Amino acid sequence: MKSHVANEASGSGIRWLAVGMTMLGLALMLLLHWQVFFWVNTEATMGVVQRIFYIHVPAAWVGVYLAFGIVALCSGIYLWLGDERVDMAAVATAEGGMVFTTIVLLTGPLWAKIAWGTYWTWDPRLTSTLLLWFIYLGYFIVRGSTENPEQGRRFAAVVGIMGALDLPLIHLSVTWFRSLHPQPVVLKPEGPTLDPDMLMTLMTGLLAFTVLFLGLVSFRYGLERSRWNLDLKTRRAAAS
Amino acid sequence: MSAFSHGERLGGRILGAVLAVVLMLATPSLSLAQAAANELARQTLGRPYWYVFVAYAVVWLLVAGWVISIARRLSDVEKRLERD
């Protein structure tokens, strides 16, 4: 396999991108909080607890679909080209994905306790999302379990690709199986069935979480680059 | 000598006993009804708000925790880069 390595160029551009995106993401988060607590109407059936929806769904979009989609894509490219920068992007995204999937798995039960009367049930959507969290965990365990770092990276890339098979299962579980979890209200063939104000608040949430996630993943990518530079410096010092 | 006749005293005792039985039966029902009313009140106001605030706090805590974790690791690596 042809091996490429990351160059030693300064990551200052990435750092500025990370700062800019994180600041924009935080500003959008503040706008989201204003919309959720002071602007949007209370949902008629579930009451105030439905406001968890505006963070639960964006966290699921980011942590489950966007993050694991990027991890699978970067893992495939890494196995194909062997470019370490792509692997750095994969590991940075996987860590962020795990954080946001944890948000999904903690906010969902809080909503479920009021809506369903229980924090947790072994519903297909909930179970497949928990499975994804364990796949993320496996990604990091496999990565650190070998003495040869390159082998660990390759094993983790395989886990990253295999884990993506859980994504359609998570998405379609509410239609394939009898599920307590609500059906999609936005991504439907007949279009969104949400109240326009609620839809706008959800869109703000999706944008805020996406921008914040990409900003923080850029910071995490900067950390991987710095580690790579340190490793290179150590190897050069040992060789000379 | 008592102002009440024997019949009146007996009637009063029976009435007292009936009232005691009614109170004994009604008290748990009243407390159960009160508990149900409190539960309903919490369903619409108190408890769901608490859950919403906890959910939003979870988001901020986890994001802040991740940021702090990245910052510490980055600072450690940069110190080692400068030192070596």
Side-chain angles (χ1 to χ4, degrees), chain B residues 20-37:
Chain B
V21 170
V22 167
L23 273 173
M24 277 171 65
L25 292 174
T27 306
S29 311
L30 283 172
S31 62
L32 281 174
Q34 187 60 51

Side-chain angles (χ1 to χ4, degrees), chain A residues 56-101:
Chain A
H56 181 72
V57 174
W61 148 246
V62 164
V64 175
Y65 301 106
L66 179 66
F68 225 97
I70 294 173
V71 170
L73 185 69
C74 289
S75 297
I77 295 173
Y78 174 69
L79 288 177
W80 181 30
L81 299 174
D83 190 332
E84 285 185 25
R85 288 169 298 183
V86 188
D87 175 68
M88 289 176 199
V91 72
T93 311
E95 194 174 288
M98 196 163 180
V99 170
F100 280 81
T101 305

Side-chain angles (χ1 to χ4, degrees), chain B:
Chain B
M1 195 177 154
S2 171
F4 298 101
S5 67
H6 175 70
E8 283 170 338
R9 280 202 304 272
L10 185 65
R13 281 175 189 168
I14 290 168
L15 186 63
V18 168
L19 274 174
V21 170
V22 167
L23 273 173
M24 277 171 65
L25 292 174
T27 306
S29 311
L30 283 172
S31 62
L32 281 174
Q34 187 60 51
N38 288 341
E39 188 64 24
L40 282 171
R42 278 199 295 270
Q43 284 286 330
T44 52
L45 282 174
R47 200 171 61 152
Y49 265 117
W50 173 244
Y51 278 70
V52 172
F53 291 139
V54 170
Y56 279 76
V58 160
V59 174
W60 285 108
L61 284 173
L62 281 175
V63 169
W66 190 36
V67 169
I68 291 166
S69 156
I70 295 172
R72 277 187 178 172
R73 285 179 286 172
L74 194 60
S75 154
D76 181 49
V77 171
E78 283 182 349
K79 271 180 197 164
R80 285 173 64 190
L81 267 170
E82 282 171 15
R83 195 179 57 213
D84 293 345

